Short mmCIF file of all heavy atoms in Angstrom, two decimals:
data_model
loop_
_atom_site.label_atom_id
_atom_site.label_comp_id
_atom_site.label_asym_id
_atom_site.label_seq_id
_atom_site.Cartn_x
_atom_site.Cartn_y
_atom_site.Cartn_z
N THR A 58 221.02 155.85 325.69
CA THR A 58 220.33 154.96 324.84
C THR A 58 218.89 154.59 325.45
O THR A 58 217.97 154.41 324.73
CB THR A 58 221.02 153.57 324.53
OG1 THR A 58 221.34 152.96 325.79
CG2 THR A 58 222.27 153.80 323.77
N ASP A 98 220.23 175.34 313.21
CA ASP A 98 221.15 175.73 314.25
C ASP A 98 220.84 175.02 315.68
O ASP A 98 220.41 175.53 316.58
CB ASP A 98 221.00 177.26 314.63
CG ASP A 98 221.41 178.10 313.37
OD1 ASP A 98 222.20 177.65 312.67
OD2 ASP A 98 220.88 179.22 313.38
N ILE A 109 215.79 171.27 317.46
CA ILE A 109 216.07 169.90 316.68
C ILE A 109 215.83 170.25 315.19
O ILE A 109 214.96 170.74 314.84
CB ILE A 109 215.04 168.89 317.18
CG1 ILE A 109 215.31 168.36 318.66
CG2 ILE A 109 215.18 167.71 316.34
CD1 ILE A 109 214.51 167.41 319.16
N GLY A 122 207.84 184.92 308.52
CA GLY A 122 206.92 184.86 309.48
C GLY A 122 205.86 185.97 309.45
O GLY A 122 206.14 187.15 309.22
N TRP A 145 191.24 171.13 301.44
CA TRP A 145 190.61 172.45 301.11
C TRP A 145 191.49 173.66 301.62
O TRP A 145 191.11 174.66 301.26
CB TRP A 145 189.20 172.37 302.00
CG TRP A 145 189.32 172.18 303.43
CD1 TRP A 145 189.19 170.93 304.09
CD2 TRP A 145 189.51 173.17 304.40
NE1 TRP A 145 189.25 171.24 305.50
CE2 TRP A 145 189.50 172.48 305.66
CE3 TRP A 145 189.58 174.55 304.45
CZ2 TRP A 145 189.60 173.19 306.96
CZ3 TRP A 145 189.85 175.21 305.69
CH2 TRP A 145 189.94 174.63 306.76
N THR A 167 177.93 185.62 300.59
CA THR A 167 178.52 185.67 299.42
C THR A 167 180.07 185.91 299.59
O THR A 167 180.42 186.86 300.13
CB THR A 167 178.01 186.68 298.38
OG1 THR A 167 176.60 186.43 298.16
CG2 THR A 167 178.61 186.63 296.95
N GLY A 207 204.29 174.94 296.37
CA GLY A 207 203.08 174.74 295.69
C GLY A 207 201.84 174.24 296.49
O GLY A 207 200.65 174.48 296.10
N PRO A 222 184.12 198.20 297.28
CA PRO A 222 184.81 197.98 296.01
C PRO A 222 184.64 199.14 295.11
O PRO A 222 183.68 199.94 295.17
CB PRO A 222 184.11 196.68 295.49
CG PRO A 222 182.77 196.80 296.04
CD PRO A 222 182.87 197.42 297.47
N LYS A 286 176.19 192.95 258.08
CA LYS A 286 175.15 193.60 258.93
C LYS A 286 175.46 193.47 260.43
O LYS A 286 174.90 194.22 261.21
CB LYS A 286 173.75 193.23 258.60
CG LYS A 286 173.36 193.48 257.21
CD LYS A 286 171.97 193.04 256.95
CE LYS A 286 171.59 193.22 255.52
NZ LYS A 286 170.16 192.78 255.21
N LEU A 290 180.13 189.60 269.67
CA LEU A 290 180.90 189.65 270.69
C LEU A 290 181.01 188.18 271.37
O LEU A 290 180.15 187.56 271.59
CB LEU A 290 180.29 190.38 271.87
CG LEU A 290 179.99 191.97 271.33
CD1 LEU A 290 179.21 192.69 272.48
CD2 LEU A 290 181.31 192.78 271.06
N ASN A 312 177.93 203.48 276.26
CA ASN A 312 177.97 204.88 276.79
C ASN A 312 179.00 205.67 275.94
O ASN A 312 180.19 205.59 276.11
CB ASN A 312 178.43 204.92 278.24
CG ASN A 312 178.20 206.27 278.86
OD1 ASN A 312 177.78 207.15 278.21
ND2 ASN A 312 178.61 206.39 280.17
N LEU A 333 183.74 164.02 283.67
CA LEU A 333 185.25 164.09 283.48
C LEU A 333 185.78 164.60 282.18
O LEU A 333 187.01 164.55 281.95
CB LEU A 333 185.92 162.84 283.92
CG LEU A 333 185.54 162.31 285.24
CD1 LEU A 333 186.28 161.05 285.68
CD2 LEU A 333 186.03 163.29 286.38
N SER A 368 189.60 191.81 279.26
CA SER A 368 189.95 191.99 277.86
C SER A 368 189.58 193.47 277.41
O SER A 368 188.53 193.97 277.77
CB SER A 368 189.53 190.98 276.88
OG SER A 368 189.96 191.26 275.59
#
Side-chain angles (χ1 to χ4, degrees):
T58 56
D98 300 336
I109 293 182
W145 57 266
T167 301
K286 299 179 180 179
L290 303 174
N312 189 1
L333 298 181
S368 175

